[in-house]
Amino acid sequence: MAPSTRDTDAMFDALIQDRRDPAALRKRVETLEFLLERSFTIPGINRPVGLDAIVGLVPVVGDVISGLMGAYLIWEARNLGMPKWKIWRMIGNLGVDTTLGAIPLVGDAFDLLFRSNTRNLKIIKKHLDKHHPGTMIIDQ
């Protein structure tokens, strides 16, 4: 028997407090983007990489896993109430990254250059800055 919507809402409320709060959502998506795209630096070339590129080294399964992690950003954007065209744009970014990232060797190099999660974060931040200006953070 499938859990009801009320059950899943209660489960997510227990796991993620303030999940509807735009400021908390901004922190979550920024943290996830950092983990997926910039959490490590490659010595010698000083190029930041994250879990997306590292997990993507495992053929097929790694790309599916990194695609699912990237889909979380899209799920958060949908919960924020972003317009469908922005959601579809984010899906396109993730789809290109996941599809081309699945190609052996070439896809691994592509993962270093095309950062779909960073692109999707920019879309979410732009929406938050316009519709929830109280969440804006001034970068130094």
Side-chain angles (χ1 to χ4, degrees):
M1 186 159 146
S4 69
T5 304
R6 187 180 315 158
D7 292 340
T8 55
D9 282 347
M11 179 179 67
F12 282 112
D13 284 338
L15 291 173
I16 304 170
Q17 290 78 25
D18 303 330
R19 71 182 175 114
R20 301 249 187 248
D21 177 36
L25 181 137
R26 181 183 209 108
K27 277 185 169 181
R28 284 194 306 274
V29 296
E30 285 176 347
T31 302
L32 182 64
E33 184 272 339
F34 177 79
L35 287 172
L36 291 176
E37 302 291 3
R38 302 176 284 126
S39 53
F40 307 103
T41 302
I42 298 175
I45 61 172
N46 291 333
R47 177 84 174 154
V49 297
L51 292 177
D52 184 28
I54 293 169
V55 173
L57 293 172
V58 179
V60 183
V61 175
D63 295 303
V64 170
I65 291 170
S66 65
L68 290 173
M69 290 187 295
Y72 178 77
L73 289 175
I74 298 169
W75 182 75
E76 286 283 16
R78 188 186 66 79
N79 285 341
L80 186 61
M82 288 178 59
K84 287 185 180 184
W85 70 271
K86 289 181 181 178
I87 301 293
W88 280 108
R89 188 170 165 205
M90 292 172 69
I91 290 170
N93 287 336
L94 184 62
V96 167
D97 187 25
T98 304
T99 303
L100 294 178
I103 301 170
L105 298 176
V106 174
D108 298 327
F110 180 75
D111 274 339
L112 292 174
L113 302 174
F114 186 82
R115 299 176 182 260
S116 65
N117 299 305
T118 302
R119 291 170 186 253
N120 289 345
L121 177 66
K122 285 181 185 178
I123 294 170
I124 292 172
K125 280 177 141 180
K126 199 175 209 182
H127 178 82
L128 284 169
D129 291 347
K130 182 177 181 182
H131 298 285
H132 303 281
T135 65
M136 196 178 304
I137 299 171
I138 299 172
D139 295 323
Q140 295 184 20

